[in-house]
């Protein structure tokens, strides 16, 4: 928000208006997209990818991936 020259609440409203998602959900979706890309293009395991894209635990990554794409990351990779 500071880099954009606006307050946190203005930034929240702007991201919500543009994407229809809260900033945290928007960022999580970007991280999941990058994780999906890494699953298909690298030989990294799910835990490595989870940490690489910024998730605190592989379990949280796996649960978020399941919610977003309907399959576990390990099944997606196979």
């Amino acid at each position: 928000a500071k880099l954009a020259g606006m307050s946190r609440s203005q930034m929240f409203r702007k991201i919500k208006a543009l994407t229809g998602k809260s900033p945290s959900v928007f960022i999580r979706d970007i991280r999941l997209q990058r994780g999906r890309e890494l699953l298909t293009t690298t030989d990294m395991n799910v835990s490595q990818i989870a940490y690489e894209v910024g998730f605190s635990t592989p379990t949280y990554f796996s649960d978020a991936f399941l919610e977003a794409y309907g399959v576990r990351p390990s099944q997606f990779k196979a």
Side-chain angles (χ1 to χ4, degrees):
K2 285 182 184 179
L3 291 174
M6 59 179 72
S7 70
R8 288 182 57 189
S9 58
Q10 286 176 314
M11 180 67 87
F12 181 92
R13 285 193 302 269
K14 182 67 77 174
I15 291 174
K16 181 80 170 176
L18 292 172
T19 66
K21 301 173 184 176
S22 70
S24 60
V25 171
F26 180 67
I27 292 168
R28 187 185 72 178
D29 287 349
I30 292 170
R31 288 178 174 167
L32 287 170
Q33 289 171 8
R34 177 70 177 139
R36 185 177 71 182
E37 180 183 318
L38 289 173
L39 283 168
T40 57
T41 60
T42 68
D43 60 349
M44 296 169 70
N45 65 38
V46 174
S47 295
Q48 291 171 320
I49 291 171
Y51 292 124
E52 178 73 23
V53 296
F55 281 85
S56 56
T57 65
T59 303
Y60 178 45
F61 173 71
S62 182
D63 291 344
F65 196 93
L66 175 63
E67 183 182 321
Y69 300 114
V71 295
R72 293 270 179 204
S74 56
Q75 296 168 332
F76 184 82
K77 186 170 181 137

